[in-house]
Amino acid sequence: APPPNLTKDYYQKTCPDFNKIVRETVTPKQGQQPTTAAGTLRLFFHDCFMEGCDASVLIATNSFNKAERDDDLNESLPGDAFDIVTRIKTALELSCPGVVSCADILAQATRDLVTMVGGPFYEVKLGRKDGFESKAHKVKGNLPLANQSVPDMLSIFKKNGFTLKELVALSGGHTIGFSHCKEFSNRIFPKVDPELNAKFAGVLKDLCKNFETNKTMAAFLDPVTPGKFDNMYFKNLKRGLGLLASDHILFKDPSTRPFVELYANNQTAFFEDFARAMEKLGRVGVKGEKDGEVRRRCDHFNKLNV
Ligand code: HEM
Ligand SMILES: [Ca+2]
Ligand SMILES: [Ca+2]
């Protein structure tokens, strides 16, 4: 089916309080659980790169289907991110039942949360429908990994219509949130990567010393301003404070370094490019009436697919 035309006012008549309900649900949640913003941004990214922005990542596994969210690559998506979507859906179902898709909820909540923690405001166009498929075995190869080269990551971004510059801008999402030790343990054990800032490496070695038994240990992706959406992530990369190998490599690789320099020196340029790239991310693979539905519950298809 051809992609639907998304519009800013899609719910103006059918759910006039949509914007308000999302905002008023997200605000207290982020206040109580400050990790919600980062978790939700990552959830949205993983949704859009798998079958498009269609809420496929929200589907729960059942006896007949192992869903995307239970693939290894998604296992670290935090409960708070799923929870915010559920809360918004519950509030919307009271006010305008059966109208707003889970895919639109995730897109709008992500924007509100990014803006709330200091990031740029951008317009979210609406009218996505929720997809009919969510398969764990399809995740591999569609999401980037922390140990990949720039060309490998680029091939995944290219499949979704993004340029190298947009890959760098979107990686700026790592200005907030956490990573578990196993994602960067090979940079500190058995030997410290000499390109990692030595003081930072010391902190990480201590934090992660028992990571194989204590799998919950996690470090801030941006150790300087972890809760604030800003361009510190890019400044960090120049100082050996990039946590993941995939972060550090953006500074090391001559093809991406100029973009890192640009964003490190100019937050306005970063915000502008990040905002445009997020609008574009929200259009990846969107579904319309023909190939999607408005789910009653975000974690279940309306019809059991057996
Ligand atoms: C460029 C390739 C990328 C790679 C290799 C990558 C990899 C990762 C890894 C390994 C983590 C840590 C997960 C954990 O241990 O819990 C992470 C976290 C995160 N990623 Fe990415 N990522 C990439 C791009 C992106 C993009 C494009 C966005 C969004 C625009 C994004 C947003 C986030 C956020 C916000 C977190 C923190 C999540 C939290 O605190 O719960 N990442 N990423
Ligand atoms: Ca999806
Ligand atoms: Ca930051």
Side-chain angles (χ1 to χ4, degrees):
N5 234 342
L6 304 181
T7 57
K8 185 171 158 287
D9 305 328
Y10 191 79
Y11 297 116
Q12 197 164 52
K13 294 216 174 66
T14 51
C15 196
D17 288 338
F18 170 71
N19 288 294
K20 185 165 172 274
I21 290 171
V22 174
R23 204 180 333 108
E24 290 180 354
T25 313
V26 146
T27 306
K29 172 74 181 175
Q30 176 63 21
Q32 286 151 17
Q33 304 292 345
T35 59
T36 307
T40 306
L41 175 58
R42 183 163 180 247
L43 184 64
F44 180 60
F45 168 52
H46 284 202
D47 184 28
C48 296
F49 268 38
M50 280 299 310
E51 315 287 340
C53 310
D54 69 346
S56 58
V57 75
L58 302 179
I59 290 293
T61 293
N62 63 26
S63 310
F64 306 102
N65 182 44
K66 186 173 175 190
E68 281 171 26
R69 63 189 266 185
D70 288 313
D71 180 75
D72 282 355
L73 267 171
N74 283 327
E75 122 210 295
S76 61
L77 289 170
D80 283 321
F82 292 93
D83 178 66
I84 190 63
V85 177
T86 309
R87 287 188 193 207
I88 295 166
K89 181 67 172 171
T90 305
L92 286 170
E93 290 303 289
L94 288 174
S95 149
C96 33
V99 169
V100 181
S101 69
C102 300
D104 278 346
I105 292 173
L106 182 54
Q108 179 95 357
T110 300
R111 193 280 313 278
D112 283 1
L113 285 161
V114 164
T115 307
M116 196 175 299
V117 295
F121 179 87
Y122 53 91
E123 216 65 82
V124 176
K125 295 203 172 157
L126 303 161
R128 298 166 190 80
K129 299 297 171 198
D130 301 326
F132 295 131
E133 189 179 281
S134 176
K135 301 222 169 289
H137 74 86
K138 287 198 177 178
V139 173
K140 207 169 164 223
N142 285 310
L143 292 174
L145 303 170
N147 60 9
Q148 278 179 322
S149 66
V150 170
D152 287 349
M153 294 195 280
L154 181 59
S155 79
I156 293 173
F157 279 73
K158 264 198 171 149
K159 270 200 293 194
N160 292 288
F162 292 96
T163 64
L164 190 59
K165 191 179 186 188
E166 288 167 331
L167 181 160
V168 177
L170 285 173
S171 295
H174 289 177
T175 186
I176 53 173
F178 294 93
S179 171
H180 293 83
C181 294
K182 76 169 163 67
E183 302 291 349
F184 56 86
S185 58
N186 59 350
R187 301 192 72 203
I188 45 175
F189 303 126
K191 277 213 321 263
V192 170
D193 176 348
E195 292 177 16
L196 197 58
N197 175 292
K199 228 171 162 177
F200 186 40
V203 173
L204 296 175
K205 277 175 72 171
D206 187 47
L207 177 82
C208 296
K209 57 182 182 291
N210 298 319
F211 81 97
E212 275 164 293
T213 45
N214 187 351
K215 294 193 194 305
T216 61
M217 293 314 289
F220 291 129
L221 286 159
D222 168 359
V224 183
T225 58
K228 187 167 171 33
F229 198 104
D230 54 12
N231 69 338
M232 190 61 75
Y233 167 80
F234 297 104
K235 294 184 181 173
N236 292 342
L237 298 183
K238 301 173 62 167
R239 294 180 283 201
L241 297 176
L243 181 62
L244 305 174
S246 55
D247 297 322
H248 181 63
I249 208 170
L250 299 180
F251 180 67
K252 203 171 154 176
D253 192 302
S255 72
T256 42
R257 184 186 290 200
F259 304 131
V260 171
E261 296 280 7
L262 168 68
Y263 298 145
N265 293 326
N266 186 341
Q267 178 160 282
T268 310
F270 167 47
F271 275 20
E272 178 62 23
D273 290 358
F274 183 80
R276 297 293 85 75
M278 287 299 290
E279 290 171 346
K280 192 166 166 182
L281 182 59
R283 293 192 299 268
V284 172
V286 295
K287 284 159 193 161
E289 307 277 359
K290 291 255 156 55
D291 46 2
E293 64 183 352
V294 172
R295 282 184 210 143
R296 284 186 292 272
R297 287 182 52 139
C298 292
D299 58 353
H300 286 75
F301 304 116
N302 289 345
K303 275 190 230 127
L304 181 63
N305 295 321
V306 288

